[in-house]
Amino acid sequence: ETGVTQTPRHLVMGMTNKKSLKCEQHLGHNAMYWYKQSAKKPLELMFVYNFKEQTENNSVPSRFSPECPNSSHLFLHLHTLQPEDSALYLCASSQVGTGIGTDTQYFGPGTRLTVL
Amino acid sequence: EDQVTQSPEALRLQEGESSSLNCSYTVSGLRGLFWYRQDPGKGPEFLFTLYSAGEEKEKERLKATLTKKESFLHITAPKPEDSATYLCAVQVYFNKFYFGSGTKLNVKP
């Protein structure tokens, strides 16, 4: 596997279900991100992890719970979601540093989530 | 308030008809500006990073430029395979990125 992978690619869940999204990066990066992409809206940054430590949480509802066990893996645990949470969830990674050429985010293919 | 605005929202071109996409930004401090291409049902694919006003980057039919207030993505003699949504993102500090809504480009043969 190369780059950033995400599983599953598609997920349909009811409002009472609990599910998890998985992201893995094979780039040796030290930062990982979760974004939400809804139709005709800009990508919304949800969570950021640097060296496994959460550094950003952009007022995301508690029904979304991130987990980062190491610098290569990132999870998004979902429970009691609402229909408006249906969207494409994108994972990204980057190498946070001070030099030119760092910080570029590389994205996975996304998980298309539908909440019924 | 930090903000990134892309225009136009959608653009239809004939094959070979050159044009430009715009990304204007209002941020407290620019660390970098990024251009991505996104195909339907896929994640954004990295194209360019620009760091300072006056900088230019080129790749095949694409050329990105940067001023203190905006960036342009110039597409020269586009082909149908250039059809995609082009996203602009601004980095304001290490992990803080703001994205525009994108420009959906459709190139007709």
Side-chain angles (χ1 to χ4, degrees), chain A residues 5-106:
Chain A
T5 58
Q6 290 186 243
T7 55
R9 294 294 311 277
H10 301 272
L11 179 62
V12 179
M13 58 187 290
M15 290 191 285
T16 58
N17 291 157
K18 289 184 179 181
K19 297 287 184 181
S20 295
L21 309 185
K22 179 184 175 183
C23 175
E24 184 173 359
Q25 60 96 1
H26 308 268
L27 300 169
H29 289 164
N30 55 21
M32 297 188 77
Y33 310 76
W34 279 117
Y35 283 91
K36 176 182 179 181
Q37 187 175 36
S38 304
K40 299 202 173 183
K41 291 177 69 175
L43 267 72
E44 299 172 50
L45 182 62
M46 299 175 71
F47 302 104
V48 182
Y49 278 83
N50 272 337
F51 296 100
K52 304 187 300 177
E53 298 298 319
Q54 187 178 128
T55 56
E56 291 278 345
N57 176 342
N58 282 347
S59 304
V60 179
S62 59
R63 57 185 183 268
F64 295 91
S65 175
E67 178 190 0
C68 188
N70 55 60
S71 294
S72 298
H73 293 86
L74 185 64
F75 295 89
L76 188 62
H77 303 299
L78 316 171
H79 64 96
T80 39
L81 294 190
Q82 305 298 311
E84 58 264 30
D85 297 321
S86 298
L88 182 68
Y89 288 84
L90 292 162
C91 173
S93 71
S94 72
Q95 182 65 22
V96 175
T98 56
I100 296 293
T102 60
D103 301 335
T104 298
Q105 294 180 306
Y106 293 88

Side-chain angles (χ1 to χ4, degrees), chain A residues 33 37 50 56 97 103 105, chain B residues 31 36 38 51 93-95:
Chain A
Y33 310 76
Q37 187 175 36
N50 272 337
E56 291 278 345
D103 301 335
Q105 294 180 306
Chain B
R31 182 173 167 84
Y36 290 86
Q38 187 174 24
Y51 291 100
Y93 57 86
F94 283 116
N95 292 134

Side-chain angles (χ1 to χ4, degrees), chain B residues 90-104:
Chain B
V90 168
Q91 182 185 16
V92 297
Y93 57 86
F94 283 116
N95 292 134
K96 196 69 172 181
F97 295 81
Y98 293 97
F99 278 79
S101 298
T103 293
K104 186 173 183 179

